[in-house]
């Protein structure tokens, strides 16, 4: 029986109240990542996003851009024209026209 099966057994048989501290420790251990891949991927995306030319990005904007880069669709599948039309219609904007 592995750790997750043991915790599931304790929950299924309503025994978690008998061993509350052990259940807390097991739940903590099950939530700890076994690798640092996600953390490393996040720092990699941050280093690619926050360049010397974009060093004044706010934490909120940087976080949003990183979420899109990590979880968003591939750029090849993104419809930029449709996104631009939605953005342009949301508020009065000064849209530069190509010459």
């Amino acid at each position: 029986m592995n750790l997750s099966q043991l915790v599931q057994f304790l929950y299924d048989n309503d025994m978690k109240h008998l061993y509350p501290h052990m259940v807390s420790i097991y739940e903590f251990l099950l939530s700890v990542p076994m690798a640092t891949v996600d953390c490393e991927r996040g720092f990699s995306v941050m280093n690619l996003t926050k360049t010397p030319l974009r060093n004044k990005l706010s934490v909120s904007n940087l976080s949003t851009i990183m979420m899109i880069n990590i979880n968003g669709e591939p750029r090849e599948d993104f419809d930029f024209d449709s996104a631009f039309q939605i953005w342009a219609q949301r508020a009065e904007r000064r849209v530069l026209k190509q010459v």
Side-chain angles (χ1 to χ4, degrees), residues 48-78:
L48 291 172
T49 303
K50 192 163 184 172
T51 63
L53 294 174
R54 296 166 106 186
N55 67 353
K56 296 198 189 255
L57 281 173
S58 68
V59 173
S60 173
N61 286 342
L62 179 61
S63 176
T64 302
I65 292 170
M66 288 176 59
M67 287 294 233
I68 292 170
N69 281 338
I70 293 171
N71 301 319
E73 328 178 345
R75 281 180 238 174
E76 298 83 28
D77 298 341
F78 188 76

PDB file of all heavy atoms in Angstrom, residues 48-78:
ATOM      1  N   LEU A  48      12.978  34.795 -20.014  1.00  0.00           N
ATOM      2  CA  LEU A  48      12.714  35.115 -21.417  1.00  0.00           C
ATOM      3  C   LEU A  48      11.774  36.299 -21.549  1.00  0.00           C
ATOM      4  O   LEU A  48      11.819  37.036 -22.536  1.00  0.00           O
ATOM      5  CB  LEU A  48      12.109  33.900 -22.127  1.00  0.00           C
ATOM      6  CG  LEU A  48      13.036  32.716 -22.326  1.00  0.00           C
ATOM      7  CD1 LEU A  48      12.257  31.518 -22.858  1.00  0.00           C
ATOM      8  CD2 LEU A  48      14.162  33.084 -23.280  1.00  0.00           C
ATOM      9  N   THR A  49      10.907  36.512 -20.574  1.00  0.00           N
ATOM     10  CA  THR A  49       9.907  37.579 -20.630  1.00  0.00           C
ATOM     11  C   THR A  49      10.464  38.899 -20.128  1.00  0.00           C
ATOM     12  O   THR A  49      10.281  39.941 -20.757  1.00  0.00           O
ATOM     13  CB  THR A  49       8.677  37.189 -19.787  1.00  0.00           C
ATOM     14  OG1 THR A  49       8.168  35.957 -20.280  1.00  0.00           O
ATOM     15  CG2 THR A  49       7.596  38.239 -19.884  1.00  0.00           C
ATOM     16  N   LYS A  50      11.129  38.884 -19.003  1.00  0.00           N
ATOM     17  CA  LYS A  50      11.619  40.126 -18.391  1.00  0.00           C
ATOM     18  C   LYS A  50      13.042  40.373 -18.862  1.00  0.00           C
ATOM     19  O   LYS A  50      14.016  40.038 -18.206  1.00  0.00           O
ATOM     20  CB  LYS A  50      11.546  40.042 -16.875  1.00  0.00           C
ATOM     21  CG  LYS A  50      11.768  41.383 -16.226  1.00  0.00           C
ATOM     22  CD  LYS A  50      11.302  41.403 -14.816  1.00  0.00           C
ATOM     23  CE  LYS A  50      11.452  42.803 -14.256  1.00  0.00           C
ATOM     24  NZ  LYS A  50      10.861  42.938 -12.961  1.00  0.00           N
ATOM     25  N   THR A  51      13.142  40.997 -20.008  1.00  0.00           N
ATOM     26  CA  THR A  51      14.426  41.316 -20.614  1.00  0.00           C
ATOM     27  C   THR A  51      14.839  42.721 -20.199  1.00  0.00           C
ATOM     28  O   THR A  51      14.033  43.463 -19.619  1.00  0.00           O
ATOM     29  CB  THR A  51      14.314  41.239 -22.147  1.00  0.00           C
ATOM     30  OG1 THR A  51      13.383  42.236 -22.580  1.00  0.00           O
ATOM     31  CG2 THR A  51      13.866  39.865 -22.603  1.00  0.00           C
ATOM     32  N   PRO A  52      16.069  43.139 -20.489  1.00  0.00           N
ATOM     33  CA  PRO A  52      16.474  44.507 -20.156  1.00  0.00           C
ATOM     34  C   PRO A  52      15.569  45.576 -20.792  1.00  0.00           C
ATOM     35  O   PRO A  52      15.390  46.647 -20.237  1.00  0.00           O
ATOM     36  CB  PRO A  52      17.899  44.604 -20.712  1.00  0.00           C
ATOM     37  CG  PRO A  52      18.414  43.200 -20.641  1.00  0.00           C
ATOM     38  CD  PRO A  52      17.215  42.338 -20.955  1.00  0.00           C
ATOM     39  N   LEU A  53      14.978  45.276 -21.950  1.00  0.00           N
ATOM     40  CA  LEU A  53      14.073  46.238 -22.581  1.00  0.00           C
ATOM     41  C   LEU A  53      12.702  46.265 -21.901  1.00  0.00           C
ATOM     42  O   LEU A  53      11.956  47.218 -22.048  1.00  0.00           O
ATOM     43  CB  LEU A  53      13.897  45.906 -24.067  1.00  0.00           C
ATOM     44  CG  LEU A  53      15.149  46.062 -24.919  1.00  0.00           C
ATOM     45  CD1 LEU A  53      14.890  45.574 -26.332  1.00  0.00           C
ATOM     46  CD2 LEU A  53      15.619  47.499 -24.909  1.00  0.00           C
ATOM     47  N   ARG A  54      12.361  45.217 -21.166  1.00  0.00           N
ATOM     48  CA  ARG A  54      11.057  45.140 -20.489  1.00  0.00           C
ATOM     49  C   ARG A  54      11.243  45.069 -18.974  1.00  0.00           C
ATOM     50  O   ARG A  54      10.508  44.415 -18.287  1.00  0.00           O
ATOM     51  CB  ARG A  54      10.314  43.892 -20.963  1.00  0.00           C
ATOM     52  CG  ARG A  54       9.977  43.905 -22.419  1.00  0.00           C
ATOM     53  CD  ARG A  54       9.577  42.528 -22.837  1.00  0.00           C
ATOM     54  NE  ARG A  54       8.148  42.454 -23.033  1.00  0.00           N
ATOM     55  CZ  ARG A  54       7.491  41.346 -23.283  1.00  0.00           C
ATOM     56  NH1 ARG A  54       8.139  40.212 -23.343  1.00  0.00           N
ATOM     57  NH2 ARG A  54       6.207  41.348 -23.461  1.00  0.00           N
ATOM     58  N   ASN A  55      12.209  45.793 -18.460  1.00  0.00           N
ATOM     59  CA  ASN A  55      12.524  45.683 -17.042  1.00  0.00           C
ATOM     60  C   ASN A  55      11.565  46.451 -16.143  1.00  0.00           C
ATOM     61  O   ASN A  55      11.647  46.343 -14.936  1.00  0.00           O
ATOM     62  CB  ASN A  55      13.963  46.119 -16.766  1.00  0.00           C
ATOM     63  CG  ASN A  55      14.175  47.594 -17.024  1.00  0.00           C
ATOM     64  OD1 ASN A  55      13.302  48.284 -17.528  1.00  0.00           O
ATOM     65  ND2 ASN A  55      15.349  48.069 -16.700  1.00  0.00           N
ATOM     66  N   LYS A  56      10.655  47.218 -16.687  1.00  0.00           N
ATOM     67  CA  LYS A  56       9.722  47.972 -15.861  1.00  0.00           C
ATOM     68  C   LYS A  56       8.338  47.331 -15.813  1.00  0.00           C
ATOM     69  O   LYS A  56       7.373  47.979 -15.429  1.00  0.00           O
ATOM     70  CB  LYS A  56       9.616  49.403 -16.373  1.00  0.00           C
ATOM     71  CG  LYS A  56      10.941  50.136 -16.253  1.00  0.00           C
ATOM     72  CD  LYS A  56      10.784  51.602 -16.342  1.00  0.00           C
ATOM     73  CE  LYS A  56      12.129  52.230 -16.433  1.00  0.00           C
ATOM     74  NZ  LYS A  56      12.615  52.856 -15.298  1.00  0.00           N
ATOM     75  N   LEU A  57       8.236  46.072 -16.192  1.00  0.00           N
ATOM     76  CA  LEU A  57       6.956  45.377 -16.093  1.00  0.00           C
ATOM     77  C   LEU A  57       6.538  45.261 -14.638  1.00  0.00           C
ATOM     78  O   LEU A  57       7.347  44.922 -13.780  1.00  0.00           O
ATOM     79  CB  LEU A  57       7.065  43.964 -16.672  1.00  0.00           C
ATOM     80  CG  LEU A  57       7.027  43.810 -18.176  1.00  0.00           C
ATOM     81  CD1 LEU A  57       7.328  42.355 -18.540  1.00  0.00           C
ATOM     82  CD2 LEU A  57       5.693  44.209 -18.730  1.00  0.00           C
ATOM     83  N   SER A  58       5.276  45.548 -14.366  1.00  0.00           N
ATOM     84  CA  SER A  58       4.788  45.361 -12.999  1.00  0.00           C
ATOM     85  C   SER A  58       4.685  43.864 -12.711  1.00  0.00           C
ATOM     86  O   SER A  58       4.658  43.035 -13.619  1.00  0.00           O
ATOM     87  CB  SER A  58       3.424  46.026 -12.826  1.00  0.00           C
ATOM     88  OG  SER A  58       2.444  45.334 -13.578  1.00  0.00           O
ATOM     89  N   VAL A  59       4.616  43.526 -11.443  1.00  0.00           N
ATOM     90  CA  VAL A  59       4.506  42.124 -11.042  1.00  0.00           C
ATOM     91  C   VAL A  59       3.235  41.518 -11.629  1.00  0.00           C
ATOM     92  O   VAL A  59       3.239  40.379 -12.103  1.00  0.00           O
ATOM     93  CB  VAL A  59       4.521  41.999  -9.501  1.00  0.00           C
ATOM     94  CG1 VAL A  59       4.247  40.572  -9.084  1.00  0.00           C
ATOM     95  CG2 VAL A  59       5.843  42.475  -8.945  1.00  0.00           C
ATOM     96  N   SER A  60       2.155  42.291 -11.622  1.00  0.00           N
ATOM     97  CA  SER A  60       0.882  41.800 -12.151  1.00  0.00           C
ATOM     98  C   SER A  60       0.981  41.495 -13.648  1.00  0.00           C
ATOM     99  O   SER A  60       0.545  40.437 -14.106  1.00  0.00           O
ATOM    100  CB  SER A  60      -0.215  42.830 -11.888  1.00  0.00           C
ATOM    101  OG  SER A  60      -1.405  42.459 -12.514  1.00  0.00           O
ATOM    102  N   ASN A  61       1.556  42.423 -14.417  1.00  0.00           N
ATOM    103  CA  ASN A  61       1.693  42.201 -15.863  1.00  0.00           C
ATOM    104  C   ASN A  61       2.650  41.048 -16.160  1.00  0.00           C
ATOM    105  O   ASN A  61       2.395  40.239 -17.050  1.00  0.00           O
ATOM    106  CB  ASN A  61       2.165  43.467 -16.556  1.00  0.00           C
ATOM    107  CG  ASN A  61       1.080  44.509 -16.649  1.00  0.00           C
ATOM    108  OD1 ASN A  61      -0.098  44.207 -16.511  1.00  0.00           O
ATOM    109  ND2 ASN A  61       1.472  45.742 -16.868  1.00  0.00           N
ATOM    110  N   LEU A  62       3.744  40.990 -15.425  1.00  0.00           N
ATOM    111  CA  LEU A  62       4.700  39.897 -15.624  1.00  0.00           C
ATOM    112  C   LEU A  62       4.038  38.557 -15.324  1.00  0.00           C
ATOM    113  O   LEU A  62       4.182  37.596 -16.084  1.00  0.00           O
ATOM    114  CB  LEU A  62       5.925  40.089 -14.732  1.00  0.00           C
ATOM    115  CG  LEU A  62       6.988  39.008 -14.817  1.00  0.00           C
ATOM    116  CD1 LEU A  62       7.563  38.917 -16.222  1.00  0.00           C
ATOM    117  CD2 LEU A  62       8.085  39.275 -13.804  1.00  0.00           C
ATOM    118  N   SER A  63       3.278  38.504 -14.244  1.00  0.00           N
ATOM    119  CA  SER A  63       2.578  37.269 -13.877  1.00  0.00           C
ATOM    120  C   SER A  63       1.587  36.859 -14.961  1.00  0.00           C
ATOM    121  O   SER A  63       1.509  35.679 -15.334  1.00  0.00           O
ATOM    122  CB  SER A  63       1.858  37.461 -12.549  1.00  0.00           C
ATOM    123  OG  SER A  63       1.112  36.334 -12.228  1.00  0.00           O
ATOM    124  N   THR A  64       0.841  37.820 -15.488  1.00  0.00           N
ATOM    125  CA  THR A  64      -0.135  37.522 -16.541  1.00  0.00           C
ATOM    126  C   THR A  64       0.550  37.007 -17.797  1.00  0.00           C
ATOM    127  O   THR A  64       0.125  36.007 -18.394  1.00  0.00           O
ATOM    128  CB  THR A  64      -0.963  38.773 -16.858  1.00  0.00           C
ATOM    129  OG1 THR A  64      -1.610  39.216 -15.660  1.00  0.00           O
ATOM    130  CG2 THR A  64      -1.994  38.492 -17.924  1.00  0.00           C
ATOM    131  N   ILE A  65       1.620  37.669 -18.210  1.00  0.00           N
ATOM    132  CA  ILE A  65       2.351  37.247 -19.415  1.00  0.00           C
ATOM    133  C   ILE A  65       2.934  35.849 -19.219  1.00  0.00           C
ATOM    134  O   ILE A  65       2.883  35.005 -20.123  1.00  0.00           O
ATOM    135  CB  ILE A  65       3.451  38.268 -19.759  1.00  0.00           C
ATOM    136  CG1 ILE A  65       2.815  39.576 -20.218  1.00  0.00           C
ATOM    137  CG2 ILE A  65       4.384  37.728 -20.832  1.00  0.00           C
ATOM    138  CD1 ILE A  65       3.796  40.721 -20.350  1.00  0.00           C
ATOM    139  N   MET A  66       3.467  35.579 -18.023  1.00  0.00           N
ATOM    140  CA  MET A  66       4.026  34.256 -17.757  1.00  0.00           C
ATOM    141  C   MET A  66       2.950  33.182 -17.782  1.00  0.00           C
ATOM    142  O   MET A  66       3.170  32.090 -18.319  1.00  0.00           O
ATOM    143  CB  MET A  66       4.754  34.246 -16.412  1.00  0.00           C
ATOM    144  CG  MET A  66       6.073  35.001 -16.429  1.00  0.00           C
ATOM    145  SD  MET A  66       6.867  35.096 -14.818  1.00  0.00           S
ATOM    146  CE  MET A  66       7.080  33.377 -14.421  1.00  0.00           C
ATOM    147  N   MET A  67       1.765  33.479 -17.216  1.00  0.00           N
ATOM    148  CA  MET A  67       0.662  32.499 -17.234  1.00  0.00           C
ATOM    149  C   MET A  67       0.264  32.174 -18.671  1.00  0.00           C
ATOM    150  O   MET A  67       0.010  31.019 -19.008  1.00  0.00           O
ATOM    151  CB  MET A  67      -0.542  33.035 -16.476  1.00  0.00           C
ATOM    152  CG  MET A  67      -0.338  33.028 -14.997  1.00  0.00           C
ATOM    153  SD  MET A  67      -0.205  31.376 -14.390  1.00  0.00           S
ATOM    154  CE  MET A  67      -1.419  31.416 -13.144  1.00  0.00           C
ATOM    155  N   ILE A  68       0.200  33.200 -19.507  1.00  0.00           N
ATOM    156  CA  ILE A  68      -0.161  32.968 -20.910  1.00  0.00           C
ATOM    157  C   ILE A  68       0.918  32.136 -21.587  1.00  0.00           C
ATOM    158  O   ILE A  68       0.614  31.193 -22.326  1.00  0.00           O
ATOM    159  CB  ILE A  68      -0.370  34.308 -21.634  1.00  0.00           C
ATOM    160  CG1 ILE A  68      -1.621  34.998 -21.098  1.00  0.00           C
ATOM    161  CG2 ILE A  68      -0.464  34.092 -23.146  1.00  0.00           C
ATOM    162  CD1 ILE A  68      -1.789  36.422 -21.556  1.00  0.00           C
ATOM    163  N   ASN A  69       2.189  32.468 -21.338  1.00  0.00           N
ATOM    164  CA  ASN A  69       3.279  31.720 -21.973  1.00  0.00           C
ATOM    165  C   ASN A  69       3.301  30.261 -21.534  1.00  0.00           C
ATOM    166  O   ASN A  69       3.570  29.363 -22.328  1.00  0.00           O
ATOM    167  CB  ASN A  69       4.621  32.360 -21.650  1.00  0.00           C
ATOM    168  CG  ASN A  69       4.899  33.572 -22.498  1.00  0.00           C
ATOM    169  OD1 ASN A  69       4.327  33.725 -23.566  1.00  0.00           O
ATOM    170  ND2 ASN A  69       5.755  34.437 -22.024  1.00  0.00           N
ATOM    171  N   ILE A  70       3.025  30.008 -20.258  1.00  0.00           N
ATOM    172  CA  ILE A  70       3.105  28.644 -19.742  1.00  0.00           C
ATOM    173  C   ILE A  70       1.854  27.837 -20.070  1.00  0.00           C
ATOM    174  O   ILE A  70       1.929  26.685 -20.488  1.00  0.00           O
ATOM    175  CB  ILE A  70       3.347  28.662 -18.215  1.00  0.00           C
ATOM    176  CG1 ILE A  70       4.736  29.223 -17.926  1.00  0.00           C
ATOM    177  CG2 ILE A  70       3.205  27.269 -17.617  1.00  0.00           C
ATOM    178  CD1 ILE A  70       4.997  29.491 -16.457  1.00  0.00           C
ATOM    179  N   ASN A  71       0.659  28.450 -19.915  1.00  0.00           N
ATOM    180  CA  ASN A  71      -0.592  27.699 -20.028  1.00  0.00           C
ATOM    181  C   ASN A  71      -1.387  27.975 -21.293  1.00  0.00           C
ATOM    182  O   ASN A  71      -2.381  27.300 -21.535  1.00  0.00           O
ATOM    183  CB  ASN A  71      -1.496  28.013 -18.818  1.00  0.00           C
ATOM    184  CG  ASN A  71      -0.831  27.654 -17.519  1.00  0.00           C
ATOM    185  OD1 ASN A  71      -0.193  26.628 -17.417  1.00  0.00           O
ATOM    186  ND2 ASN A  71      -0.966  28.507 -16.528  1.00  0.00           N
ATOM    187  N   GLY A  72      -1.000  28.976 -22.058  1.00  0.00           N
ATOM    188  CA  GLY A  72      -1.808  29.378 -23.208  1.00  0.00           C
ATOM    189  C   GLY A  72      -1.639  28.460 -24.399  1.00  0.00           C
ATOM    190  O   GLY A  72      -0.830  27.530 -24.413  1.00  0.00           O
ATOM    191  N   GLU A  73      -2.430  28.762 -25.419  1.00  0.00           N
ATOM    192  CA  GLU A  73      -2.324  27.982 -26.653  1.00  0.00           C
ATOM    193  C   GLU A  73      -1.000  28.307 -27.341  1.00  0.00           C
ATOM    194  O   GLU A  73      -0.432  29.362 -27.112  1.00  0.00           O
ATOM    195  CB  GLU A  73      -3.426  28.346 -27.651  1.00  0.00           C
ATOM    196  CG  GLU A  73      -4.719  28.759 -27.126  1.00  0.00           C
ATOM    197  CD  GLU A  73      -5.694  29.130 -28.243  1.00  0.00           C
ATOM    198  OE1 GLU A  73      -5.315  29.336 -29.388  1.00  0.00           O
ATOM    199  OE2 GLU A  73      -6.857  29.207 -27.909  1.00  0.00           O
ATOM    200  N   PRO A  74      -0.556  27.427 -28.216  1.00  0.00           N
ATOM    201  CA  PRO A  74       0.637  27.749 -29.002  1.00  0.00           C
ATOM    202  C   PRO A  74       0.377  28.989 -29.865  1.00  0.00           C
ATOM    203  O   PRO A  74      -0.747  29.233 -30.302  1.00  0.00           O
ATOM    204  CB  PRO A  74       0.835  26.515 -29.888  1.00  0.00           C
ATOM    205  CG  PRO A  74       0.057  25.432 -29.244  1.00  0.00           C
ATOM    206  CD  PRO A  74      -1.054  26.095 -28.484  1.00  0.00           C
ATOM    207  N   ARG A  75       1.403  29.773 -30.083  1.00  0.00           N
ATOM    208  CA  ARG A  75       1.227  31.014 -30.858  1.00  0.00           C
ATOM    209  C   ARG A  75       0.721  30.742 -32.264  1.00  0.00           C
ATOM    210  O   ARG A  75       0.036  31.572 -32.838  1.00  0.00           O
ATOM    211  CB  ARG A  75       2.547  31.763 -30.919  1.00  0.00           C
ATOM    212  CG  ARG A  75       2.819  32.522 -29.660  1.00  0.00           C
ATOM    213  CD  ARG A  75       4.104  33.234 -29.742  1.00  0.00           C
ATOM    214  NE  ARG A  75       4.865  32.696 -28.612  1.00  0.00           N
ATOM    215  CZ  ARG A  75       6.104  32.950 -28.355  1.00  0.00           C
ATOM    216  NH1 ARG A  75       6.773  33.729 -29.145  1.00  0.00           N
ATOM    217  NH2 ARG A  75       6.691  32.442 -27.323  1.00  0.00           N
ATOM    218  N   GLU A  76       1.072  29.598 -32.819  1.00  0.00           N
ATOM    219  CA  GLU A  76       0.636  29.278 -34.177  1.00  0.00           C
ATOM    220  C   GLU A  76      -0.882  29.157 -34.256  1.00  0.00           C
ATOM    221  O   GLU A  76      -1.481  29.410 -35.293  1.00  0.00           O
ATOM    222  CB  GLU A  76       1.268  27.967 -34.660  1.00  0.00           C
ATOM    223  CG  GLU A  76       2.781  27.993 -34.746  1.00  0.00           C
ATOM    224  CD  GLU A  76       3.443  27.729 -33.395  1.00  0.00           C
ATOM    225  OE1 GLU A  76       2.861  27.041 -32.540  1.00  0.00           O
ATOM    226  OE2 GLU A  76       4.556  28.238 -33.202  1.00  0.00           O
ATOM    227  N   ASP A  77      -1.534  28.748 -33.155  1.00  0.00           N
ATOM    228  CA  ASP A  77      -2.985  28.543 -33.141  1.00  0.00           C
ATOM    229  C   ASP A  77      -3.765  29.782 -32.709  1.00  0.00           C
ATOM    230  O   ASP A  77      -4.988  29.782 -32.741  1.00  0.00           O
ATOM    231  CB  ASP A  77      -3.351  27.396 -32.188  1.00  0.00           C
ATOM    232  CG  ASP A  77      -2.735  26.082 -32.621  1.00  0.00           C
ATOM    233  OD1 ASP A  77      -2.354  25.968 -33.800  1.00  0.00           O
ATOM    234  OD2 ASP A  77      -2.625  25.184 -31.776  1.00  0.00           O
ATOM    235  N   PHE A  78      -3.066  30.836 -32.285  1.00  0.00           N
ATOM    236  CA  PHE A  78      -3.745  32.017 -31.747  1.00  0.00           C
ATOM    237  C   PHE A  78      -4.187  32.930 -32.882  1.00  0.00           C
ATOM    238  O   PHE A  78      -3.422  33.229 -33.795  1.00  0.00           O
ATOM    239  CB  PHE A  78      -2.812  32.769 -30.800  1.00  0.00           C
ATOM    240  CG  PHE A  78      -3.475  33.883 -30.065  1.00  0.00           C
ATOM    241  CD1 PHE A  78      -4.310  33.614 -28.999  1.00  0.00           C
ATOM    242  CD2 PHE A  78      -3.280  35.200 -30.442  1.00  0.00           C
ATOM    243  CE1 PHE A  78      -4.931  34.636 -28.312  1.00  0.00           C
ATOM    244  CE2 PHE A  78      -3.895  36.226 -29.765  1.00  0.00           C
ATOM    245  CZ  PHE A  78      -4.721  35.950 -28.701  1.00  0.00           C
TER     246      PHE A  78
END
